[in-house]
Amino acid sequence: MNVLIRFSFLGENFFGTQKQNDKPTIQGLFEDLLSRLYDTKVKVTIASRLDRGVNALDFALNFLMPKETISLDHLSYYLRRSLPHDIVLKEVRQVSEDFSSRYSSLYKQYLYLIQNTENKNPLLNRFTYVPKGVLDGERIQEALSVMEGKHDFRFFANFEEEKNTLLSLDKAWVEEKNGFLFLRFRAPSFLRYEVRFLVGAALSYEKGKLSLDTIETLLAGKEVPYPKIKAEPQGLMLEQIEYRF
């Protein structure tokens, strides 16, 4: 049986989602818990490779259940009792044998949250980017609008030669509400660090350190000198994964 597990988590206590032998990660934690439950080694497929400190309101993994003597209800009960407080279980369900939490998604949506008032709230610093001063949301939107569509994102990511960098960014937009800027990015897939580099470019444009022409040139796959900035991780969260079951 192929099982899908969906949950949310606070990322500050994890070194990302992908398993590392000597550091706590989301994949490592779930594999340890499931292997203990089934008394055999269990491997899971994670929906996305998130960086250290990045949070998720919606995350998923799937695995092949080695013993079907354990019901999904019992699996759900076991996980709720065993998971730490910074992980909240949302759903446990059976899916088709060919389902993959990573490759079966229709799109992923990321949110980058910025405190945008003169008087910042230090209690929210763990979950937000805190700029000096107040940012111009309209200028940030100008940069995000240029990023929409099909482009070569190699200069806005951690370039890996085996990866296809010609991708589509379906939508990128900013909303201002209650002293916050909500920057959202929606696409079928993302390169590693892509959202953080796109946010960094948008903030550089807002500060007058980067032009729209330079952003467009880079998105055409042409390398030009520019201040490549990777936005801080704590403001980033995977907000939504959409699947077709």
Side-chain angles (χ1 to χ4, degrees):
M1 181 190 299
N2 194 8
V3 178
L4 171 68
I5 301 173
R6 296 182 82 160
F7 53 95
S8 56
F9 68 84
L10 178 63
E12 64 181 0
N13 292 323
F14 297 96
F15 285 74
T17 54
Q18 188 174 36
K19 187 174 182 178
Q20 301 184 46
N21 291 331
D22 57 344
K23 295 181 176 66
T25 66
I26 293 295
Q27 182 179 10
L29 173 63
F30 274 89
E31 287 188 349
D32 287 346
L33 289 176
L34 293 171
S35 296
R36 192 181 311 157
L37 175 64
Y38 293 104
D39 196 27
T40 188
K41 189 173 182 179
V42 175
K43 292 186 177 181
V44 306
T45 299
I46 56 174
S48 184
R49 183 171 58 175
L50 302 185
D51 309 326
R52 179 182 180 181
V54 175
N55 308 304
L57 293 175
D58 188 15
F59 197 78
L61 59 82
N62 69 286
F63 73 100
L64 294 176
M65 183 183 287
K67 299 176 183 178
E68 297 193 10
T69 54
I70 296 176
S71 69
L72 293 182
D73 286 341
H74 182 73
L75 171 60
S76 179
Y77 173 80
Y78 168 77
L79 291 174
R80 292 183 191 278
R81 291 290 301 270
S82 304
L83 288 169
H85 294 303
D86 42 13
I87 300 179
V88 176
L89 190 67
K90 297 170 64 177
E91 181 183 25
V92 175
R93 63 177 292 177
Q94 181 179 358
V95 288
S96 63
E97 293 300 311
D98 61 349
F99 177 90
S100 167
S101 59
R102 182 174 181 181
Y103 297 111
S104 298
S105 62
L106 296 175
Y107 66 81
K108 296 180 177 72
Q109 182 170 299
Y110 285 89
L111 166 64
Y112 197 86
L113 186 57
I114 301 174
Q115 290 195 55
N116 201 41
T117 59
E118 288 288 355
N119 297 315
K120 310 295 194 294
N121 185 344
L123 299 181
L124 301 177
N125 289 359
R126 297 162 61 197
F127 319 107
T128 59
Y129 170 63
V130 185
K132 294 180 180 179
V134 177
L135 304 177
D136 185 338
E138 292 185 1
R139 278 187 61 81
I140 292 175
Q141 181 60 65
E142 290 175 6
L144 297 188
S145 296
V146 169
M147 298 168 183
E148 289 185 344
K150 190 171 186 177
H151 305 289
D152 190 334
F153 289 96
R154 71 179 61 216
F155 299 117
F156 296 97
N158 186 35
F159 181 62
E160 299 169 290
E161 290 189 9
E162 72 277 10
K163 293 284 187 179
N164 174 30
T165 58
L166 188 62
L167 301 172
S168 293
L169 181 59
D170 294 343
K171 193 174 181 182
W173 73 104
V174 60
E175 296 177 86
E176 299 185 60
K177 186 176 181 181
N178 299 329
F180 293 91
L181 291 177
F182 298 80
L183 281 63
R184 288 185 167 91
F185 302 82
R186 180 184 295 175
S189 62
F190 292 87
L191 300 171
R192 190 171 192 191
Y193 302 137
E194 180 182 338
V195 176
R196 291 174 63 186
F197 278 122
L198 291 177
V199 172
L203 296 181
S204 292
Y205 171 73
E206 192 276 340
K207 296 173 183 175
K209 297 180 179 180
L210 185 64
S211 70
L212 293 181
D213 286 342
T214 298
I215 294 175
E216 290 176 330
T217 299
L218 292 164
L219 289 171
K222 301 175 183 178
E223 186 172 12
V224 293
Y226 83 106
K228 189 173 183 179
I229 296 174
K230 183 165 59 176
E232 295 179 9
Q234 74 278 2
L236 180 63
M237 64 191 76
L238 179 52
E239 186 176 32
Q240 182 182 2
I241 308 176
E242 184 67 24
Y243 291 111
R244 179 183 291 124
F245 297 111

